[in-house]
Amino acid sequence: MQKPEMLTDLDVASTTKSVMKKLPEVTLAFWIMKVASTTLGETAGDLFAQTLKLGYFLTTIALFLIFVVTLVVQLRAGHYNPFFYWTVILSTSMAGTTMSDFMNRDASTKFLSGGATSLGWGPQGLGLGYPTGAVILVSILLVIFAVWKATGMTFQIRDIVTFRGEALFWSAILVSNTLGTSMGDFLSDSSGLGYAGGAVLVTGALAVLVLLVKVPVVPNVLLFWIAFVLTRPLGATAGDFLTKPVAKGGLDLGTAGSSAVLLAVLVGLMAYAQVQELRTPQMTEREPVARRAD
């Protein structure tokens, strides 16, 4: 005998004729903007913490508060707005940069920008190191996904339409961007690969993920989240490559100059995405869902 199965938040939303889209479609443009925003997050985070000498502690607090403000704006929005969405992505990238630095580094001169002897007020790092920091962040991310799975809500971002779903999504985004920063710094600074070598390695891993998209047994949702984490170290190594001295394998463009150029690129991409969004219907049509189980 069949009986109705308890509906999740997504099912309730799906029983309506139309559901307002809150998050973007995952396309090539999505990944280009993701790399651009994470690269800017790397250079801007370093700009505030190191170049302006605010330090990891104060910068982390300030950028986390900015993340909260941008997230509130995104959560209160009635539909997907590229400027709101990518501003939150950027704020998680900036906050993730300094959160990672604060966790993994210490106040020794090897982590300071050229000519600096100290950074800002307060503790300037826990000195956990990249491996320990990565283990902690991976554990937190797995807990978030476990809670997400237990709620029964979808992992497909195009179908996230509830407040709880968005809250879990953005929690995972913040932790994954912080984790990605740690991975990028490890590849660039500690692995011996350097900035270019780290970028090549991550690009190769992303190419493998693209090939796995065609493999039916590998869930695309899993590939998305792995790619989301990996594009963060790609942005981190690209940011380091732009800002670090030539002697260290970088282009020595500086955090301020690199951040200005990347911000202009990202704003241009957001404007393009906004134009494209205005040309498409805001409502995503869905068929009524009737889920039943034996």
Side-chain angles (χ1 to χ4, degrees):
M1 180 177 180
Q2 292 183 327
K3 59 182 180 180
E5 183 183 25
M6 183 177 293
L7 296 177
T8 65
D9 287 350
L10 176 62
D11 298 322
V12 172
S14 299
T15 57
T16 61
K17 177 61 178 175
S18 299
V19 174
M20 192 70 75
K21 184 177 73 169
K22 289 294 299 293
L23 301 175
E25 297 290 334
V26 180
T27 62
L28 178 61
F30 172 93
W31 292 113
I32 293 174
M33 295 180 72
K34 169 62 167 58
V35 173
S37 63
T38 53
T39 305
L40 176 56
E42 174 75 12
T43 60
D46 288 344
L47 172 65
F48 291 122
Q50 297 185 34
T51 305
L52 299 180
K53 297 181 175 62
L54 295 179
Y56 300 132
F57 183 69
L58 291 179
T59 305
T60 295
I61 293 175
L63 293 179
F64 186 80
L65 291 176
I66 291 174
F67 159 68
V68 172
V69 172
T70 58
L71 179 59
V72 169
V73 173
Q74 164 67 22
L75 293 175
R76 291 177 62 86
H79 59 84
Y80 169 59
N81 183 303
F83 282 96
F84 294 167
Y85 176 87
W86 289 106
T87 299
V88 185
I89 292 290
L90 176 58
S91 68
T92 63
S93 298
M94 292 190 298
T97 295
T98 54
M99 288 168 62
S100 170
D101 290 344
F102 182 76
M103 288 178 60
N104 300 322
R105 299 181 178 184
D106 54 33
S108 60
T109 56
K110 68 178 180 178
F111 293 123
L112 302 180
S113 58
T117 57
S118 63
L119 287 177
W121 176 84
Q124 290 311 314
L126 300 178
L128 298 178
Y130 297 125
T132 302
V135 169
I136 293 172
L137 291 168
V138 168
S139 299
I140 295 173
L141 191 59
L142 290 176
V143 169
I144 293 173
F145 285 138
V147 172
W148 194 338
K149 178 69 174 178
T151 64
M153 289 183 289
T154 181
F155 285 95
Q156 295 280 4
I157 71 169
R158 67 174 181 272
D159 293 330
I160 297 175
V161 293
T162 65
F163 179 87
R164 282 198 304 164
E166 274 200 274
L168 288 166
F169 172 78
W170 288 113
S171 298
I173 293 296
L174 178 61
V175 176
S176 65
N177 273 335
T178 307
L179 173 61
T181 301
S182 296
M183 293 174 61
D185 287 342
F186 172 77
L187 291 175
S188 299
D189 299 334
S190 304
S191 68
L193 294 174
Y195 306 120
V200 169
L201 178 61
V202 174
T203 301
L206 289 171
V208 172
L209 294 181
V210 172
L211 296 176
L212 289 176
V213 169
K214 302 298 183 180
V215 180
V217 296
V218 181
N220 284 346
V221 172
L222 176 62
L223 296 178
F224 167 82
W225 283 105
I226 295 176
F228 202 96
V229 171
L230 287 178
T231 49
R232 183 64 180 98
L234 180 62
T237 51
D240 287 338
F241 181 66
L242 292 172
T243 60
K244 299 301 181 182
V246 175
K248 292 186 177 182
L251 295 180
D252 199 16
L253 299 180
T255 55
S258 298
S259 296
V261 172
L262 290 167
L263 179 60
V265 171
L266 185 60
V267 170
L269 291 172
M270 288 193 292
Y272 174 78
Q274 183 66 52
V275 171
Q276 293 297 107
E277 189 66 19
L278 292 175
R279 291 177 177 176
T280 58
Q282 294 295 327
M283 304 297 288
T284 301
E285 296 295 327
R286 301 184 188 279
E287 296 297 328
V289 176
R291 294 179 60 190
R292 302 181 67 90
D294 293 336

